[in-house]
Amino acid sequence: MAILDFELPTDGLAGCLIDGAWVRPTASLPIENPSRRDVICEIGRGGAAEIDAAVAAARKAQKAWAARPASERGAMLTELGNRLAAHGETVARLLAAETGNAIKTQSRGEAAGAAGVLKYYGGVAVEQKGETLPLGPGMISYTTREPLGVVGSIIPWNSPLQLGAVKISMALAVGNCLILKPAEDAPLAILRLAELAADIFPPGVFNVVTGTGEEAGAALANHPGVDKISFTGSSEIGKLISHAAADRVAKVTLELGGKSPCIIFPDACAPDRIEATAQGVVNAMRFARQGQSCTAGSRLFVHESVWDDLMPLVSEKAAAMTVGDALDDSVDIGAVINEERYAEICRYVAEAESQGASFLTGETPRETDGGFYPIPTILKGIDNSWRIAREEVFGPVLVALPWRDEAEMIAQANNTHYGLAAFIFARDAATIARMTRAIDAGWIQVNQGGGQIPGMSYGGIKQSGVGSEYSIEGALEAYTFRKSVTIAVEP
Ligand code: ADP
């Protein structure tokens, strides 16, 4: 094996943290570096047995965990956030190695963002407050926010550390115990985080089981001892998980796909704005994460009067991004996660080309023997009904559509089964107010294409999901239930 320029987890290579101890399943799982296409290491491949053990440990620990003051639980999350921040660079390198997300533009920011999420929830955990009801003299009626019990969280590979931090924080802050199942493509940064966490939380409170979706994931989603499933990933698997949870009326939070519109008004392309708008479009598309983001603004609606000014700028900016090994500090865009995803992106682009689309930048990607390096691609001449305009490509592929009539453009933008995010670039306040009302999406950004911020409620509508994350409100709504207590003090 080549000399590693990142640090592997040590205990975490066992794969499973169960009841405070590292347990290695008999089967193992190779983890590949998508930039270099070599096997980084092997970790444990857990299944039903490990999930059973982790659920039992979590059930045993949960009542005592819930009984602790919220401030103590919060302090432990803050401690984990501080430890992660202190190890930010080494964790970021590990993340870049396993996900293919460039260290410079993505992985460093993700490590810092994940620490920020843990610290945010560490601070707001004390806001687990209830309500009182004024029933009159002699009566006291109030609600408390009670944890649901044992939570199973299943996360994908595209920003595993950030999503792991969200799932850990939301479940633990309000008194649940957790079994976290990272994605088989990118579990290493999570295992490192679990190492940092292992001596912070009491045994059984935070458990990790690595393995495949079909084995460990399905076992977790179907386990009768799991009160709630929180899933981030594809819509297809989200639906399977919903079905599994419905059979035992378990609670579910889903954060699924998107095909988010990015809408350009002429006044956002005034000479003093056009540069920032073009950069905003590139950021919204998440080109720097190979387009592997469910919030990607992947359908660009450009007012026809500014098309000729804006599109060359956007194309230039996308084409100027350097693609290469995610661990190379000069690289803007790393590698697509695996061969299957890479081939799927190639198919989408080839199909659109055969339907008559043309390239503003990029080309039909070819299968490669090197890393799974994508080409930032912008397509025009697309019909909104084509697969490339309707389905989530999960690659750096932006479809650009000109618009003239606002009502027609809104109808097209909303004509999707998704409703996760939207981006609007406009200067006029009335336009902004009208558009933020008209567009169906869980999160609308105006004049920027940034990432999630701790404290915001982030979640999708339509088939993009159920529930919201990143905020204390989201945690209270989705990870607790209201217990009502009515006391006749003087019966
Ligand atoms: P992607 O298409 O982005 O890989 P998936 O939805 O397939 O996303 O995977 C997201 C997470 O869901 C991963 O942790 C994966 O192991 C898990 N997963 C996949 N299939 C199942 C399943 N049948 N049951 C439970 N979890 C699954």
Side-chain angles (χ1 to χ4, degrees):
M1 195 189 282
I3 295 168
L4 294 180
D5 44 8
F6 48 87
E7 264 174 39
L8 285 176
T10 48
D11 300 343
L13 290 187
C16 301
L17 177 65
I18 299 173
D19 210 5
W22 289 99
V23 179
R24 185 167 188 119
T26 43
S28 61
L29 200 60
I31 307 302
E32 193 174 285
N33 177 328
S35 302
R36 301 176 185 180
R37 296 192 67 177
D38 54 11
V39 172
I40 299 174
C41 62
E42 304 234 335
I43 58 160
R45 173 172 172 171
E50 288 73 20
I51 293 290
D52 270 347
V55 172
R59 294 223 75 85
K60 192 175 64 174
Q62 197 267 325
K63 291 284 181 213
W65 177 242
R68 294 179 89 122
S71 57
E72 285 182 18
R73 295 195 300 263
M76 292 185 211
L77 289 170
T78 303
E79 170 64 15
L80 181 57
N82 288 336
R83 285 189 191 181
L84 176 56
H87 292 81
E89 183 63 15
T90 50
V91 178
R93 294 191 73 76
L94 185 58
L95 194 57
E98 62 172 340
T99 60
N101 293 340
I103 181 94
K104 178 174 90 168
T105 58
Q106 299 298 306
S107 293
R108 233 172 241 136
E110 183 174 340
V117 167
L118 288 159
K119 289 193 256 181
Y120 161 77
Y121 277 104
V124 294
V126 290
E127 295 299 315
Q128 190 175 350
K129 296 190 279 204
E131 302 103 358
T132 55
L133 192 62
L135 291 185
M139 295 292 288
I140 301 175
S141 191
Y142 62 91
T143 63
T144 54
R145 291 283 198 165
E146 303 291 331
L148 296 174
V150 170
V151 174
S153 289
I154 300 174
I155 55 172
W157 42 263
N158 63 336
S159 45
L161 195 63
Q162 175 91 351
L163 293 168
V166 169
K167 306 291 188 195
I168 293 167
S169 300
M170 293 183 73
L172 266 48
V174 293
N176 300 286
C177 288
L178 177 69
I179 298 104
L180 180 64
K181 207 296 278 174
E184 50 271 54
D185 286 293
L188 298 178
I190 287 293
L191 291 172
R192 184 72 193 106
L193 182 67
E195 287 179 348
L196 296 174
D199 69 341
I200 297 179
F201 302 106
V205 168
F206 170 44
N207 307 273
V208 176
V209 176
T210 53
T212 67
E214 294 75 28
E215 295 169 359
L220 184 59
N222 286 286
H223 202 290
V226 173
D227 303 293
K228 178 194 172 78
I229 289 285
S230 173
F231 172 79
T232 301
S234 63
S235 298
E236 182 201 348
I237 305 298
K239 286 175 194 175
L240 274 181
I241 283 173
S242 273
H243 282 288
D247 277 340
R248 58 182 198 281
V249 201
K251 311 295 177 275
V252 179
T253 293
L254 300 174
E255 205 269 87
L256 307 177
K259 190 77 188 177
S260 300
C262 180
I263 300 167
I264 311 296
F265 281 80
D267 61 357
C269 294
D272 62 329
R273 297 287 280 229
I274 192 161
E275 219 16 78
T277 297
Q279 190 58 52
V281 169
V282 169
N283 296 348
M285 177 56 223
R286 314 290 194 241
F287 277 118
R289 212 193 312 152
Q290 301 83 258
Q292 297 175 152
S293 159
C294 29
T295 26
S298 52
R299 287 185 302 149
L300 179 63
F301 293 93
V302 181
H303 192 271
E304 59 176 18
S305 67
V306 290
W307 177 281
D308 289 341
D309 298 325
L310 182 70
M311 290 318 299
L313 257 184
V314 175
S315 304
E316 260 168 47
K317 284 183 184 296
M321 297 174 82
T322 51
V323 183
D325 188 329
L327 279 161
D328 180 340
D329 233 311
S330 68
V331 152
D332 299 311
I333 305 180
V336 168
I337 187 74
N338 59 31
E339 188 160 18
E340 193 189 336
R341 288 299 324 147
Y342 191 75
E344 186 69 16
I345 296 166
C346 297
R347 273 197 293 278
Y348 270 111
V349 178
E351 181 183 302
E353 199 183 4
S354 73
Q355 286 172 298
S358 57
F359 293 84
L360 282 163
T361 186
E363 59 187 78
T364 312
R366 287 174 295 270
E367 306 262 343
T368 159
D369 291 337
F372 302 112
Y373 293 119
I375 305 163
T377 296
I378 306 179
L379 294 168
K380 66 170 181 168
I382 307 275
D383 190 279
N384 202 34
S385 64
W386 297 356
R387 244 166 43 94
I388 198 145
R390 305 191 70 76
E391 296 179 11
E392 191 176 37
V393 176
F394 229 61
V397 182
L398 175 63
V399 299
L401 303 138
W403 65 274
R404 179 184 307 166
D405 178 77
E406 186 177 303
E408 265 175 35
M409 175 272 290
I410 291 172
Q412 278 198 21
N414 284 339
N415 182 11
T416 164
H417 57 285
Y418 289 123
L420 190 54
F423 305 85
I424 294 163
F425 289 84
R427 190 170 217 165
D428 173 54
T431 304
I432 294 170
R434 200 167 63 245
M435 290 303 296
T436 51
R437 268 199 309 273
I439 295 298
D440 301 333
W443 182 24
I444 301 186
Q445 293 191 69
V446 179
N447 294 327
Q448 65 158 26
Q452 290 85 344
I453 303 151
M456 71 179 289
S457 286
Y458 168 71
I461 58 166
K462 299 199 237 175
Q463 289 190 28
S464 286
V466 177
S468 67
E469 304 193 304
Y470 284 90
S471 66
I472 183 65
E473 298 81 23
L476 292 176
E477 282 158 22
Y479 288 77
T480 70
F481 70 94
R482 274 192 176 83
K483 178 183 274 183
S484 285
V485 179
T486 308
I487 303 172
V489 180
E490 295 164 5

mmCIF file of all heavy atoms in Angstrom, residues 30-41 97-99 184-185 337-339 372:
data_model
loop_
_atom_site.group_PDB
_atom_site.id
_atom_site.type_symbol
_atom_site.label_atom_id
_atom_site.label_comp_id
_atom_site.label_asym_id
_atom_site.label_seq_id
_atom_site.Cartn_x
_atom_site.Cartn_y
_atom_site.Cartn_z
ATOM 1 N N PRO A 30 -14.224 -3.510 1.975
ATOM 2 C CA PRO A 30 -13.130 -2.669 1.501
ATOM 3 C C PRO A 30 -13.614 -1.246 1.252
ATOM 4 O O PRO A 30 -14.715 -1.040 0.754
ATOM 5 C CB PRO A 30 -12.727 -3.330 0.174
ATOM 6 C CG PRO A 30 -13.946 -4.040 -0.282
ATOM 7 C CD PRO A 30 -14.773 -4.372 0.934
ATOM 8 N N ILE A 31 -12.789 -0.274 1.620
ATOM 9 C CA ILE A 31 -13.130 1.134 1.379
ATOM 10 C C ILE A 31 -12.167 1.684 0.332
ATOM 11 O O ILE A 31 -10.948 1.628 0.507
ATOM 12 C CB ILE A 31 -13.009 1.962 2.687
ATOM 13 C CG1 ILE A 31 -13.820 1.321 3.816
ATOM 14 C CG2 ILE A 31 -13.434 3.410 2.455
ATOM 15 C CD1 ILE A 31 -15.293 1.148 3.544
ATOM 16 N N GLU A 32 -12.730 2.212 -0.731
ATOM 17 C CA GLU A 32 -11.913 2.646 -1.871
ATOM 18 C C GLU A 32 -11.777 4.159 -1.915
ATOM 19 O O GLU A 32 -12.711 4.887 -1.545
ATOM 20 C CB GLU A 32 -12.570 2.132 -3.162
ATOM 21 C CG GLU A 32 -11.653 2.243 -4.359
ATOM 22 C CD GLU A 32 -12.244 1.599 -5.616
ATOM 23 O OE1 GLU A 32 -12.256 0.351 -5.689
ATOM 24 O OE2 GLU A 32 -12.695 2.334 -6.495
ATOM 25 N N ASN A 33 -10.625 4.618 -2.374
ATOM 26 C CA ASN A 33 -10.395 6.043 -2.629
ATOM 27 C C ASN A 33 -10.814 6.332 -4.076
ATOM 28 O O ASN A 33 -10.176 5.829 -5.005
ATOM 29 C CB ASN A 33 -8.900 6.334 -2.413
ATOM 30 C CG ASN A 33 -8.540 7.773 -2.726
ATOM 31 O OD1 ASN A 33 -9.135 8.399 -3.595
ATOM 32 N ND2 ASN A 33 -7.548 8.284 -2.025
ATOM 33 N N PRO A 34 -11.884 7.117 -4.279
ATOM 34 C CA PRO A 34 -12.377 7.299 -5.644
ATOM 35 C C PRO A 34 -11.470 8.149 -6.518
ATOM 36 O O PRO A 34 -11.568 8.094 -7.744
ATOM 37 C CB PRO A 34 -13.734 7.987 -5.453
ATOM 38 C CG PRO A 34 -13.736 8.530 -4.087
ATOM 39 C CD PRO A 34 -12.728 7.776 -3.284
ATOM 40 N N SER A 35 -10.569 8.937 -5.915
ATOM 41 C CA SER A 35 -9.620 9.700 -6.723
ATOM 42 C C SER A 35 -8.527 8.776 -7.258
ATOM 43 O O SER A 35 -8.102 8.894 -8.397
ATOM 44 C CB SER A 35 -8.938 10.792 -5.897
ATOM 45 O OG SER A 35 -9.871 11.676 -5.340
ATOM 46 N N ARG A 36 -8.061 7.874 -6.397
ATOM 47 C CA ARG A 36 -6.895 7.059 -6.768
ATOM 48 C C ARG A 36 -7.290 5.647 -7.170
ATOM 49 O O ARG A 36 -6.488 4.904 -7.700
ATOM 50 C CB ARG A 36 -5.920 7.016 -5.590
ATOM 51 C CG ARG A 36 -5.469 8.410 -5.214
ATOM 52 C CD ARG A 36 -4.582 8.455 -3.988
ATOM 53 N NE ARG A 36 -4.298 9.852 -3.649
ATOM 54 C CZ ARG A 36 -3.563 10.235 -2.630
ATOM 55 N NH1 ARG A 36 -3.028 9.344 -1.824
ATOM 56 N NH2 ARG A 36 -3.370 11.507 -2.399
ATOM 57 N N ARG A 37 -8.503 5.303 -6.870
ATOM 58 C CA ARG A 37 -9.037 3.969 -7.170
ATOM 59 C C ARG A 37 -8.187 2.868 -6.565
ATOM 60 O O ARG A 37 -7.915 1.851 -7.199
ATOM 61 C CB ARG A 37 -9.221 3.793 -8.669
ATOM 62 C CG ARG A 37 -10.258 4.757 -9.188
ATOM 63 C CD ARG A 37 -10.709 4.465 -10.575
ATOM 64 N NE ARG A 37 -11.448 3.210 -10.654
ATOM 65 C CZ ARG A 37 -12.003 2.769 -11.772
ATOM 66 N NH1 ARG A 37 -11.905 3.462 -12.874
ATOM 67 N NH2 ARG A 37 -12.677 1.657 -11.785
ATOM 68 N N ASP A 38 -7.781 3.094 -5.309
ATOM 69 C CA ASP A 38 -7.151 1.988 -4.599
ATOM 70 C C ASP A 38 -7.899 1.772 -3.290
ATOM 71 O O ASP A 38 -8.653 2.635 -2.841
ATOM 72 C CB ASP A 38 -5.645 2.243 -4.360
ATOM 73 C CG ASP A 38 -5.372 3.560 -3.650
ATOM 74 O OD1 ASP A 38 -6.343 4.185 -3.150
ATOM 75 O OD2 ASP A 38 -4.206 3.963 -3.577
ATOM 76 N N VAL A 39 -7.710 0.571 -2.751
ATOM 77 C CA VAL A 39 -8.394 0.255 -1.496
ATOM 78 C C VAL A 39 -7.619 0.915 -0.364
ATOM 79 O O VAL A 39 -6.422 0.696 -0.205
ATOM 80 C CB VAL A 39 -8.502 -1.272 -1.304
ATOM 81 C CG1 VAL A 39 -9.031 -1.606 0.093
ATOM 82 C CG2 VAL A 39 -9.411 -1.876 -2.367
ATOM 83 N N ILE A 40 -8.325 1.750 0.414
ATOM 84 C CA ILE A 40 -7.683 2.460 1.528
ATOM 85 C C ILE A 40 -7.453 1.495 2.684
ATOM 86 O O ILE A 40 -6.386 1.443 3.279
ATOM 87 C CB ILE A 40 -8.576 3.623 2.021
ATOM 88 C CG1 ILE A 40 -8.819 4.635 0.902
ATOM 89 C CG2 ILE A 40 -7.982 4.276 3.243
ATOM 90 C CD1 ILE A 40 -9.820 5.727 1.278
ATOM 91 N N CYS A 41 -8.487 0.739 3.013
ATOM 92 C CA CYS A 41 -8.417 -0.179 4.149
ATOM 93 C C CYS A 41 -9.667 -1.047 4.130
ATOM 94 O O CYS A 41 -10.558 -0.838 3.298
ATOM 95 C CB CYS A 41 -8.347 0.593 5.473
ATOM 96 S SG CYS A 41 -9.810 1.604 5.763
ATOM 97 N N ALA A 97 -10.103 11.660 1.258
ATOM 98 C CA ALA A 97 -9.623 10.393 0.702
ATOM 99 C C ALA A 97 -10.780 9.445 0.407
ATOM 100 O O ALA A 97 -10.823 8.790 -0.624
ATOM 101 C CB ALA A 97 -8.646 9.742 1.677
ATOM 102 N N GLU A 98 -11.743 9.381 1.305
ATOM 103 C CA GLU A 98 -12.791 8.365 1.113
ATOM 104 C C GLU A 98 -13.946 8.852 0.238
ATOM 105 O O GLU A 98 -14.586 8.066 -0.437
ATOM 106 C CB GLU A 98 -13.329 7.888 2.467
ATOM 107 C CG GLU A 98 -13.995 8.979 3.286
ATOM 108 C CD GLU A 98 -14.690 8.458 4.540
ATOM 109 O OE1 GLU A 98 -14.995 7.266 4.629
ATOM 110 O OE2 GLU A 98 -14.929 9.294 5.438
ATOM 111 N N THR A 99 -14.243 10.176 0.266
ATOM 112 C CA THR A 99 -15.400 10.665 -0.500
ATOM 113 C C THR A 99 -15.018 11.162 -1.889
ATOM 114 O O THR A 99 -15.872 11.263 -2.766
ATOM 115 C CB THR A 99 -16.086 11.865 0.199
ATOM 116 O OG1 THR A 99 -15.123 12.924 0.328
ATOM 117 C CG2 THR A 99 -16.641 11.502 1.553
ATOM 118 N N GLU A 184 -21.598 2.639 3.081
ATOM 119 C CA GLU A 184 -20.498 1.701 2.851
ATOM 120 C C GLU A 184 -19.379 2.328 2.014
ATOM 121 O O GLU A 184 -18.251 1.876 2.033
ATOM 122 C CB GLU A 184 -20.990 0.404 2.204
ATOM 123 C CG GLU A 184 -21.876 0.553 0.978
ATOM 124 C CD GLU A 184 -23.370 0.648 1.335
ATOM 125 O OE1 GLU A 184 -23.725 1.528 2.152
ATOM 126 O OE2 GLU A 184 -24.160 -0.116 0.777
ATOM 127 N N ASP A 185 -19.689 3.396 1.266
ATOM 128 C CA ASP A 185 -18.660 4.052 0.458
ATOM 129 C C ASP A 185 -17.798 5.008 1.279
ATOM 130 O O ASP A 185 -16.667 5.297 0.870
ATOM 131 C CB ASP A 185 -19.304 4.862 -0.671
ATOM 132 C CG ASP A 185 -19.842 3.963 -1.763
ATOM 133 O OD1 ASP A 185 -19.030 3.324 -2.436
ATOM 134 O OD2 ASP A 185 -21.071 3.889 -1.917
ATOM 135 N N ILE A 337 -18.002 9.470 -6.504
ATOM 136 C CA ILE A 337 -17.773 8.480 -5.450
ATOM 137 C C ILE A 337 -17.412 7.079 -5.935
ATOM 138 O O ILE A 337 -16.530 6.446 -5.373
ATOM 139 C CB ILE A 337 -18.998 8.422 -4.486
ATOM 140 C CG1 ILE A 337 -18.729 7.529 -3.280
ATOM 141 C CG2 ILE A 337 -20.244 7.959 -5.222
ATOM 142 C CD1 ILE A 337 -17.827 8.125 -2.287
ATOM 143 N N ASN A 338 -18.065 6.572 -6.950
ATOM 144 C CA ASN A 338 -17.746 5.201 -7.378
ATOM 145 C C ASN A 338 -18.111 4.984 -8.843
ATOM 146 O O ASN A 338 -18.710 5.854 -9.490
ATOM 147 C CB ASN A 338 -18.426 4.164 -6.469
ATOM 148 C CG ASN A 338 -19.955 4.309 -6.471
ATOM 149 O OD1 ASN A 338 -20.557 4.729 -7.473
ATOM 150 N ND2 ASN A 338 -20.588 3.978 -5.369
ATOM 151 N N GLU A 339 -17.772 3.833 -9.337
ATOM 152 C CA GLU A 339 -17.938 3.518 -10.756
ATOM 153 C C GLU A 339 -19.407 3.548 -11.172
ATOM 154 O O GLU A 339 -19.758 4.055 -12.238
ATOM 155 C CB GLU A 339 -17.357 2.126 -11.006
ATOM 156 C CG GLU A 339 -17.302 1.774 -12.458
ATOM 157 C CD GLU A 339 -16.309 0.652 -12.735
ATOM 158 O OE1 GLU A 339 -15.932 -0.063 -11.780
ATOM 159 O OE2 GLU A 339 -15.930 0.522 -13.905
ATOM 160 N N PHE A 372 -12.430 8.599 -10.840
ATOM 161 C CA PHE A 372 -13.744 8.859 -11.453
ATOM 162 C C PHE A 372 -13.915 10.368 -11.597
ATOM 163 O O PHE A 372 -14.735 10.984 -10.926
ATOM 164 C CB PHE A 372 -14.857 8.259 -10.600
ATOM 165 C CG PHE A 372 -14.703 6.779 -10.409
ATOM 166 C CD1 PHE A 372 -14.402 6.255 -9.163
ATOM 167 C CD2 PHE A 372 -14.867 5.914 -11.470
ATOM 168 C CE1 PHE A 372 -14.257 4.895 -8.983
ATOM 169 C CE2 PHE A 372 -14.719 4.547 -11.304
ATOM 170 C CZ PHE A 372 -14.410 4.032 -10.055
#
